[in-house]
Amino acid sequence: MSTLQTPIEPAIAQPTPVKRLLSLDTLRGFDMFWIMGGEEIFHVLAKTTGWAGAILLADQFSHPAWNGFRAYDLIFPLFMFMAGVSTPFSVGSRLDQGTDKAKIARKIISRGLILVVLGIIYNNGLFNRVFEDMRFPSVLGRIGLAGMFAQLIYLYFRPRAQYIWFVGLLLGYWALMMLVPVPGCGAGVLTMECNLASFIDRMLVPGHLYKTIHDPEGLFSTLPAIDNTLLGIFAGTFLRTHGRTGNQKTALLLGAGAAFVLLGWLWDFVFPINKNLWTSSFVLVTGGLSLLLLAVFYWVIDVKGIKRWTFFFTVIGMNSILIYLAGEFIDFEYAARFFFGGLLKQSSSEVVTAVGEVIAFLAVKWAFLYILYKKKVFLRV
């Protein structure tokens, strides 16, 4: 089971702090900042001010109804990508030390399954649901399963075979979604009701699906999500190797990222970018953008050494799974009102009060993480 403890070194196959890449911890914290409530600043500004810029940003921090892409769609796959980046540093270092592959594999599998269980608890609570009413697919479950399979591919296959897996999953998912007929719908139909992924989930996944006929974290659409973690593994392997300068690595990451984004948008013409279905075009666009962000953070932090600003995000990134789960069990809104409610009531401006409430909420969460950081307490799975 998962435990709270003081880590001596990064856990195998876990997106925990990688000391050699401060940029990775910072980028993970930057990603989690939006998940823990940072996007609410734009929604509040849009609602209270009506500013065109605030409305535009708020729209980007929401998901499209079906096809399409917005900035908010990147947060989930970026986290999976970063779990992949850390793999060559954690698993790879164990392999270099001669650790038995079977031992590493057991750790990878156990972590993946624990994340599935934590995801079920996050969805349903501990004791308040009957089996038929439970939702089993989850964000943590997808991270666990996709990360587990990607890391096993890294563990047991050479780089060339890893690339074949990457391409095979992209093309294979595309072929299945477009060529295999769904009863009553036919082949190549990508509506919520008729696509192959939703049909398979309705047949195989127990309990209920998030949207009754479809689940955005369903079982079948987890297959292409493996590639987001694999792409992170490729990036982490590249950064871990020697022979190139930091500037050269940055340039190559930027070039690869731009190429993936372009290919993804071209593929969109025949296989729409769709987060709900985690289409192959969605994998390429989010994977490319993840590479671009990693390149920027790596260049600024690890190459140029500009690090003072990273602490705020690093505190978040080092306990990312914990803060994701904590919101279901800790009333941070009550704590924010308790500590800052009196101060906010003194403001006569609706905008200041509304934005202040969001900032107070984020401040309480960050303070909670900071206390754990100072005590060197991290959630390890």
Side-chain angles (χ1 to χ4, degrees), residues 354-374:
V355 174
E357 288 175 349
V358 176
I359 293 175
F361 174 73
L362 293 171
V364 168
K365 277 193 167 183
W366 192 87
F368 169 71
L369 292 173
Y370 176 72
I371 292 171
L372 296 180
Y373 173 85
K374 293 296 289 184

Side-chain angles (χ1 to χ4, degrees), residues 298-319:
Y298 172 73
W299 184 78
V300 171
I301 298 169
D302 293 314
V303 177
K304 303 304 291 183
I306 305 173
K307 301 178 180 180
R308 287 190 176 184
W309 63 279
T310 64
F311 181 71
F312 175 83
F313 293 115
T314 300
V315 168
I316 302 171
M318 292 180 72
N319 250 325

Side-chain angles (χ1 to χ4, degrees), residues 23-240:
S23 54
L24 187 60
D25 283 328
T26 308
L27 181 56
R28 187 180 297 113
F30 175 79
D31 192 39
M32 287 302 303
F33 172 77
W34 306 110
I35 297 176
M36 62 187 266
E39 85 286 351
E40 281 299 317
I41 295 174
F42 301 115
H43 292 295
V44 166
L45 282 173
K47 182 178 179 180
T48 56
T49 67
W51 295 340
I55 293 172
L56 177 63
L57 288 171
D59 184 63
Q60 282 299 309
F61 279 90
S62 64
H63 296 299
W66 193 242
N67 291 334
F69 179 82
R70 294 175 187 162
Y72 204 47
D73 295 334
L74 179 60
I75 290 176
F76 185 7
L78 175 59
F79 191 89
M80 299 173 66
F81 171 85
M82 288 184 287
V85 175
S86 68
T87 298
F89 294 91
S90 55
V91 177
S93 64
R94 292 298 182 97
L95 289 173
D96 293 344
Q97 295 167 10
T99 305
D100 182 60
K101 285 187 177 182
K103 181 178 179 181
I104 299 175
R106 286 193 295 271
K107 181 64 178 181
I108 290 173
I109 294 170
S110 67
R111 176 184 181 268
L113 297 179
I114 289 171
L115 284 173
V116 171
V117 172
L118 289 176
I120 295 171
I121 295 172
Y122 181 88
N123 286 342
N124 306 284
L126 289 172
F127 309 108
N128 60 345
R129 300 296 291 271
V130 297
F131 184 85
E132 292 77 9
D133 295 331
M134 293 176 64
R135 181 189 173 213
F136 289 88
S138 66
V139 169
L140 290 179
R142 173 156 293 183
I143 292 172
L145 291 176
M148 179 181 73
F149 285 113
Q151 289 160 344
L152 289 174
I153 290 171
Y154 171 79
L155 182 64
Y156 286 108
F157 292 89
R158 293 182 180 276
R160 182 178 179 182
Q162 295 171 22
Y163 302 146
I164 293 173
W165 270 103
F166 180 82
V167 175
L169 285 168
L170 287 179
L171 297 179
Y173 187 69
W174 176 36
L176 290 170
M177 292 290 284
M178 300 303 293
L179 300 178
V180 176
V182 174
C185 298
V189 181
L190 298 178
T191 62
M192 186 182 295
E193 298 82 4
C194 284
N195 72 85
L196 180 64
S198 296
F199 173 74
I200 290 177
D201 288 344
R202 290 195 295 269
M203 296 299 103
L204 298 182
V205 177
H208 83 275
L209 304 181
Y210 183 67
K211 297 184 178 181
T212 307
I213 60 173
H214 167 77
D215 200 297
E217 282 80 52
L219 184 63
F220 189 69
S221 59
T222 296
L223 289 174
I226 295 171
D227 272 357
N228 287 92
T229 306
L230 272 178
L231 188 58
I233 288 174
F234 301 156
T237 301
F238 173 69
L239 290 176
R240 190 170 181 248

